[in-house]
Amino acid sequence: MDKLKQYNTFGIDVSCRSLIELHSVDQLTEYLQSTDGQFMILGGGSNVLFTADIEKDVLLNRTSGIDIIHEDERSVQLRVASGENWHGFVSWCVERDYRGIENMALIPGTVGAAPIQNIGAYGVEIKDVLDEVEYLDLSDRSLHIRSNNECQFGYRNSVFKGELKGKIFVISITITLSKTSTPTVEYWALKEYMQGHGINEPGTKDVFDAVVYIRRSKLPDPAELGNAGSFFKNPVIPNTQLEQVLEKHPEAKHFPVDDTHSKLAAGWMIEQCGWKGKRVGHTGSHARQALVLVNYGNAQGRQIADLAREIIASCKSEFGVELEPEVNIL
Ligand code: EPU
């Protein structure tokens, strides 16, 4: 039995049958030829909550490499191995002034996990820059490529969380970044930061610095306090339902999604239900961002899952809206 505590950002102390570091796709195909099928793949362990020991092998994705596929004066196309650290890759791009992913600085996890849940922050999602995803089918070891529009991207969603869930290994992603575009600073917190710092025409590095500053001020660092970022998704509800919520809570924080749907701010809902900053045993909702559940040191995964269930029930009874976890509960 191997320990998983240092391989999940919640810092949950569970074991697995065996831990195997994967450094290449060849190594994975070799493993697949002799496996009994009892395995799971882990990237940065930043979007998972372990509620019990894993009676399987855990394959840690440690593949690496960033290749320039095409470059001209206006843009650069990059292929990135799935095991690369996401923030390390964002920093690499910002250093070269390759533009388009600076708003997603400091998101924990690996490059390969990015398309799976269509990571996003401060007005940008991976789907905005992604060209294609290369993956291995785990059942027959065949190679596949899906272009952006074949990935069925939605808010924190993709085909890799749907019909392909658990069936594939993301090998690499290919993205195109601009060398000339102006940054996206529509998000209120970014606007506030730029105004506060007297920056009128922010560059890539300014946005990167702003995002790092905002995230550090609001979101707990998993190295200091176990967590997996937002535990829940912001619920997307029909506008007719939003009207009912607004009747009871005219101050409800909400954002348009399309002509007929809106997103409710789950952090705001959880705060209204009195959970923000509340500690329950070894777990709780974070004092600066209610959407983040934390491990104060010795929490067991099921205690955090129990808290999540209680929060879902409170929000359901207060707002009639069911929160859905963003984190994979295993
Ligand atoms: N709010 C509260 N109380 C809270 C938290 C938030 O009232 O405790 C309100 C805020 O005042 C604001 C609204 O809710 O009006 C939205 O809050 P915020 O801008 O902090 O963003 P979020 O919707 O809570 C999402 C993502 C984050 C991402 C930020 C910034 C999801 C589930 N979460 O959070 O992503 O960093 O926007 O773009 O979509 C993650 O996925 O792990 C993550 C951290």
Side-chain angles (χ1 to χ4, degrees):
M1 298 291 271
D2 283 319
K3 292 281 188 192
L4 285 171
K5 190 174 163 88
Q6 70 182 100
Y7 300 106
N8 71 101
T9 59
F10 256 124
I12 304 295
D13 194 7
V14 290
S15 305
C16 64
R17 188 168 76 176
S18 170
L19 257 180
I20 298 163
E21 287 198 5
L22 283 181
H23 293 280
S24 70
V25 180
D26 284 349
Q27 190 191 342
L28 173 60
T29 42
E30 217 169 280
Y31 171 88
L32 291 173
Q33 285 172 45
S34 56
T35 178
D36 59 1
Q38 297 303 304
F39 69 89
M40 65 167 283
I41 294 162
L42 198 61
S46 55
N47 202 38
V48 66
L49 176 64
F50 292 120
T51 59
D53 285 338
I54 303 293
E55 314 284 339
K56 300 175 177 181
D57 296 339
V58 171
L59 310 185
L60 291 172
N61 185 353
R62 296 288 184 260
T63 60
S64 62
I66 304 173
D67 293 316
I68 295 179
I69 304 298
H70 175 79
E71 184 167 15
D72 57 32
E73 286 109 64
R74 300 182 59 80
S75 67
V76 60
Q77 190 181 38
L78 304 165
R79 184 177 300 135
V80 196
S82 56
E84 287 281 347
N85 173 269
W86 172 260
H87 179 70
F89 171 58
V90 174
S91 309
W92 186 93
C93 293
V94 171
E95 272 165 33
R96 288 157 179 80
D97 202 13
Y98 297 159
R99 310 171 186 189
I101 54 173
E102 56 282 357
N103 297 48
M104 294 186 282
L106 229 53
I107 294 184
T110 54
V111 163
I116 293 180
Q117 61 153 348
N118 184 23
I119 59 167
Y122 306 103
V124 178
E125 292 178 323
I126 184 77
K127 78 163 169 50
D128 302 333
V129 293
L130 187 122
D131 297 322
E132 59 189 36
V133 177
E134 183 190 15
Y135 66 87
L136 186 83
D137 184 317
L138 295 169
S139 60
D140 62 6
R141 306 189 295 278
S142 56
L143 289 175
H144 300 261
I145 289 177
R146 284 221 178 202
S147 64
N148 185 315
N149 59 18
E150 293 169 325
C151 291
Q152 299 169 18
F153 286 124
Y155 166 59
R156 294 294 191 276
N157 209 358
S158 77
V159 68
F160 309 109
K161 272 181 99 172
E163 66 191 72
L164 294 180
K165 187 171 181 177
K167 296 182 177 156
I168 60 121
F169 172 81
V170 174
I171 297 172
S172 68
I173 66 168
T174 302
I175 68 173
T176 296
L177 298 178
S178 171
K179 294 185 180 179
T180 55
S181 62
T182 43
T184 306
V185 283
E186 298 316 308
Y187 199 89
W188 59 276
L190 285 182
K191 275 191 194 155
E192 253 175 42
Y193 177 98
M194 297 307 166
Q195 277 163 9
H197 286 73
I199 301 171
N200 295 323
E201 286 180 21
T204 322
K205 181 73 165 63
D206 295 319
V207 176
F208 176 87
D209 289 344
V211 170
V212 168
Y213 173 84
I214 296 163
R215 288 188 75 104
R216 288 219 167 110
S217 65
K218 270 197 184 174
L219 298 168
D221 179 354
E224 285 158 25
L225 192 61
N227 76 89
S230 301
F231 194 90
F232 304 97
K233 294 189 211 178
N234 288 322
V236 175
I237 57 172
N239 288 341
T240 44
Q241 194 180 1
L242 176 68
E243 276 161 29
Q244 290 165 12
V245 173
L246 288 172
E247 252 173 50
K248 194 171 165 196
H249 300 275
E251 76 294 6
K253 300 263 197 288
H254 60 93
F255 310 91
V257 172
D258 56 31
D259 290 347
T260 50
H261 290 81
S262 297
K263 224 184 243 181
L264 261 185
W268 175 84
M269 293 167 66
I270 297 167
E271 182 172 349
Q272 296 308 301
C273 292
W275 290 104
K276 187 171 183 171
K278 194 166 169 178
R279 185 169 171 156
V280 183
H282 298 293
T283 177
S285 153
H286 194 248
R288 273 176 281 134
Q289 167 51 293
L291 203 46
V292 177
L293 303 188
V294 297
N295 172 7
Y296 285 107
N298 295 309
Q300 290 180 335
R302 53 188 170 72
Q303 293 167 333
I304 298 174
D306 285 346
L307 173 66
R309 264 191 294 275
E310 278 194 64
I311 291 175
I312 291 170
S314 301
C315 290
K316 174 89 184 163
S317 94
E318 184 61 30
F319 300 102
V321 175
E322 187 132 352
L323 292 184
E324 209 185 300
E326 186 194 287
V327 169
N328 285 308
I329 302 173
L330 296 179

